[in-house]
């Protein structure tokens, strides 16, 4: 069993998209029962809320349902509960490094680094429009296929 936590700022746009798209890709690969997935925000302003309606719509347009997800803030126990914490942008990664308690065991990585080997941010669509949310969904779909290859395929290195 592997566990992955996705983290962005508000936990209503990027990280729930990353969670939902990876869950769908794992179901497609028949590997969903081997993974625990969750997402959280470094900020808590939206705790308890469903994803942004624009994120829900962009995912629904390609057959992925985000509507059951609810935002929460990162908590200290996340750093031992999860094997891997994937930050959606470099600021999130910096914030996670600062929040990590002593004794943290989770591996912290940038999302696009884990998926594509590139040290790049997932652009925040929150202040953008529908095209920005569609681009975020498309990136999460592509990244999820790579994450399945890396972490869930029979030959996966799990590293
Ligand atoms: P996210 O986007 O980090 O991808 O969920 C944001 C959502 C809300 C805010 C900022 C970014 N906000 O400032 O409320």
């Amino acid at each position: 069993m592997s566990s992955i936590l996705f983290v962005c700022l508000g936990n209503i746009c990027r990280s729930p998209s990353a969670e939902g798209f990876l869950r769908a890709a794992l179901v497609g690969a028949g590997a969903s029962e081997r993974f625990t997935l969750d997402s959280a925000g470094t900020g808590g302003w939206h705790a308890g809320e469903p994803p942004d309606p624009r994120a829900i719509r962009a995912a629904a347009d390609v057959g992925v349902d985000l509507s059951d997800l609810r935002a929460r803030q990162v908590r200290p126990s996340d750093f031992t509960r999860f094997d891997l914490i994937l930050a959606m942008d470099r600021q999130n990664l910096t914030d996670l490094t600062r929040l990590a308690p002593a004794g943290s065991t989770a591996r912290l990585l940038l999302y696009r680094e884990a998926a594509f080997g590139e040290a790049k941010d997932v652009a925040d669509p929150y202040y953008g429009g529908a095209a920005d949310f569609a681009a975020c969904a498309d990136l999460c779909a592509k990244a999820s296929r790579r994450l399945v290859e890396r972490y869930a395929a029979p030959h996966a290195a799990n590293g």
Side-chain angles (χ1 to χ4, degrees), residues 87-104:
M88 303 308 289
D89 69 27
R90 284 167 288 186
Q91 184 62 53
N92 304 146
L93 186 61
T94 300
D95 292 339
L96 282 165
T97 304
R98 183 174 46 78
L99 290 168
S104 165

Side-chain angles (χ1 to χ4, degrees), residues 5-82:
L5 179 70
F6 299 92
V7 173
C8 61
L9 179 60
N11 192 210
I12 55 169
C13 301
R14 293 166 294 172
S15 61
S17 302
E19 178 189 353
F21 276 92
L22 183 60
R23 181 167 289 115
L26 287 169
V27 168
S32 60
E33 71 287 351
R34 289 166 38 211
F35 285 82
T36 298
L37 305 182
D38 199 1
S39 62
T42 56
W45 314 283
H46 296 282
E49 295 177 15
D52 188 298
R54 299 167 295 175
I56 292 177
R57 192 170 314 119
D61 282 347
V62 289
V64 172
D65 182 15
L66 305 182
S67 64
D68 287 343
L69 301 177
R70 294 294 178 268
R72 70 168 178 89
Q73 190 166 18
V74 172
R75 41 185 178 249
S77 59
D78 289 329
F79 293 89
T80 46
R81 267 188 63 217
F82 290 91

